[in-house]
C-alpha cells in the first residue's frame, strides 16, 4: 500500500507519517527530511538547496524526484525485490511535474498509489503550529511547545535525549512564502488525483490521535 499525505506546511504530515510507521511498519519518505540530511552532511545536493530551503521556496523537481527514485530502489533491494511494506510519501509530490514523475517512478517498479490523504487545516492555525514546532536532536521525534510536549519536560519520550532542535526555516517570515507556494503549486495537483478517485480528506484540526484514526480507517477500507 502506497499513500501520499498532502497538506500545507504544519498540517501534521510528518507527525502522522511517523505514527503510521510505528503502527503499520510502513516506510516514511519525506523529501524535507532527505534534503535536510543532505544539507547537514554538506553533500553537493545539500549545498545546492540550502539557500532555497532557507527562503521557503521549492527545490527543483529533478532533485526531489531523483531522491525519491533512489530511495524506492533501495527499499526494493532491502525487501529482496518484493514490494515491501508500503510507502508514505510525506511532502512529495508538491508540483504537477512531481506528481507525474511519481507515477512514472512507481510504474517502472511495478507499483501504484493507493490513497492520497489530504489533511485539511485552518490556515490561521498553521503559523502557531510551525513556530512552536521542534524535534528531538537524537531520534527526530516531533514535538510542539503547546500541542505536544514531552511527558517529562526537556526529555524526549522516545529516546530520553535532552537535546532538541528547531528548523531554521520555521520562521514567521518563510510561512507566507511556503503557504503561497502550497496554494499555487501543490493544492492544484489534488484534482489530478481526485479524477482517479484516490483522494480522501481528513480533518487535520482534530487531535493528533483522532487524525491518525481517521487515516487508518481510510487505509483499512
Ligand atoms: P508537517 O509535516 O505537515 O509540516 P508536522 O507534523 O511537523 O507538520 O506538524 C507541525 C507541528 O504541529 C508539530 O509541532 C506537531 O507536533 C504539531 N501538530 C501536528 N498535528 C497536530 C494536531 N492534529 N494538533 C495540534 N498540533 C499538531
Ligand atoms: P513543511 O512540511 O513544513 O513544508 P518539509 O520538511 O516538507 O516542510 O520541506 C522543507 C523544505 O524542503 C521546503 O520548504 C522546500 O524548500 C524543500 N522541499 C521539501 N520537499 C520538497 C519537494 N517535494 N519539492 C520541492 N522542495 C521541497
Ligand atoms: Zn528522541
Amino acid at each position: 500500500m502506497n499513500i501520499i499525505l498532502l497538506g500545507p506546511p504544519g498540517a501534521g504530515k510528518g507527525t502522522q507519517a511517523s505514527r503510521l510507521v510505528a503502527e503499520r511498519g510502513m516506510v516514511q519518505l519525506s523529501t524535507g527530511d532527505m534534503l535536510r540530511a543532505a544539507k547537514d552532511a554538506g553533500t553537493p545536493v545539500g549545498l545546492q538547496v540550502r539557500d532555497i530551503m532557507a527562503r521557503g521556496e521549492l527545490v527543483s523537481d529533478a532533485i526531489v524526484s531523483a531522491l525519491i527514485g533512489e530511495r524506492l530502489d533501495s527499499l526494493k533491494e532491502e525487501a529482496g525485490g518484493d514490494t515491501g511494506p508500503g510507502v508514505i510519501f510525506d511532502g512529495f509530490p508538491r508540483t504537477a511535474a512531481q506528481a507525474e514523475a511519481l507515477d512514472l517512478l512507481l510504474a517502472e517498479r511495478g507499483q501504484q498509489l493507493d490513497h492520497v490523504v489530504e489533511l485539511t487545516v485552518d490556515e490561521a492555525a498553521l503559523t502557531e503550529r510551525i513556530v512552536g514546532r521542534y524535534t528531538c536532536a537524537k531520534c527526530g521525534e516531533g514535538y510542539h511547545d503547546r500541542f505536544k510536549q514531552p511527558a517529562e519536560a526537556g526529555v524526549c519520550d522516545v529516546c530520553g535525549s535532552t537535546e532538541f532542535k528547531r528548523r531554521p526555516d520555521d520562521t514567521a517570515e518563510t510561512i507566507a512564502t511556503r503557504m503561497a507556494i502550497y496554494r499555487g503549486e501543490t493544492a492544484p495537483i489534488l484534482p489530478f488525483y481526485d479524477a482517479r478517485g484516490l483522494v480522501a480528506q481528513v480533518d487535520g484540526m482534530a487531535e493528533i490521535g483522532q487524525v491518525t484514526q481517521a487515516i487508518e480507517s481510510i487505509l483499512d477500507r
Side-chain angles (χ1 to χ4, degrees):
M1 159 127 29
N2 297 311
I3 71 166
I4 296 174
L5 291 183
L6 205 77
K13 302 179 296 294
T15 301
Q16 296 304 326
S18 69
R19 293 170 66 100
L20 293 171
V21 168
E23 284 170 23
R24 300 197 162 226
M26 294 176 80
V27 176
Q28 172 185 11
L29 293 191
S30 158
T31 41
D33 288 347
M34 293 175 204
L35 293 167
R36 278 185 287 280
K39 201 178 61 149
D40 293 347
T43 67
V45 166
L47 294 173
Q48 211 178 325
V49 301
R50 192 182 54 191
D51 296 342
I52 300 170
M53 289 177 76
R55 290 195 299 269
E57 294 168 6
L58 293 186
V59 314
S60 78
D61 293 331
I63 288 178
V64 288
S65 302
L67 286 173
I68 291 285
E70 286 162 19
R71 292 297 285 271
L72 289 175
D73 283 338
S74 47
L75 284 175
K76 199 165 177 183
E77 210 161 293
E78 284 162 28
D82 201 354
T83 53
V87 171
I88 306 157
F89 295 98
D90 160 14
F92 177 91
R94 263 172 151 96
T95 65
Q98 291 177 24
E100 281 166 21
L102 178 58
D103 275 348
L104 208 64
L105 287 169
L106 290 172
E108 283 167 355
R109 291 162 182 80
Q111 295 197 44
Q112 59 172 36
L113 268 176
D114 298 287
H115 298 282
V116 177
V117 176
E118 180 191 6
L119 293 173
T120 60
V121 280
D122 178 357
E123 255 194 48
L126 294 179
T127 301
E128 186 180 15
R129 284 215 190 158
I130 292 171
V131 299
R133 162 164 66 187
Y134 62 97
T135 53
C136 172
K138 197 174 160 206
C139 75
E141 179 70 3
Y143 293 98
H144 191 280
D145 291 327
R146 262 189 70 195
F147 306 131
K148 194 194 164 210
Q149 296 166 350
E152 188 186 335
V155 182
C156 176
D157 294 340
V158 176
C159 76
S161 166
T162 53
E163 305 256 332
F164 296 89
K165 58 184 185 184
R166 287 178 194 263
R167 280 169 46 178
D169 60 332
D170 276 349
T171 59
E173 295 77 64
T174 65
I175 292 172
T177 306
R178 289 158 66 191
M179 288 306 305
I181 292 175
Y182 180 78
R183 271 187 245 109
E185 305 219 37
T186 307
I189 67 183
L190 279 160
F192 170 79
Y193 290 124
D194 205 25
R196 285 152 56 180
L198 291 176
V199 179
Q201 290 184 328
V202 167
D203 176 14
M205 296 308 294
E207 277 178 25
I208 292 175
Q210 289 175 340
V211 178
T212 310
Q213 275 181 18
I215 298 173
E216 300 258 19
S217 74
I218 290 163
L219 305 194
D220 288 336
R221 79 184 173 206

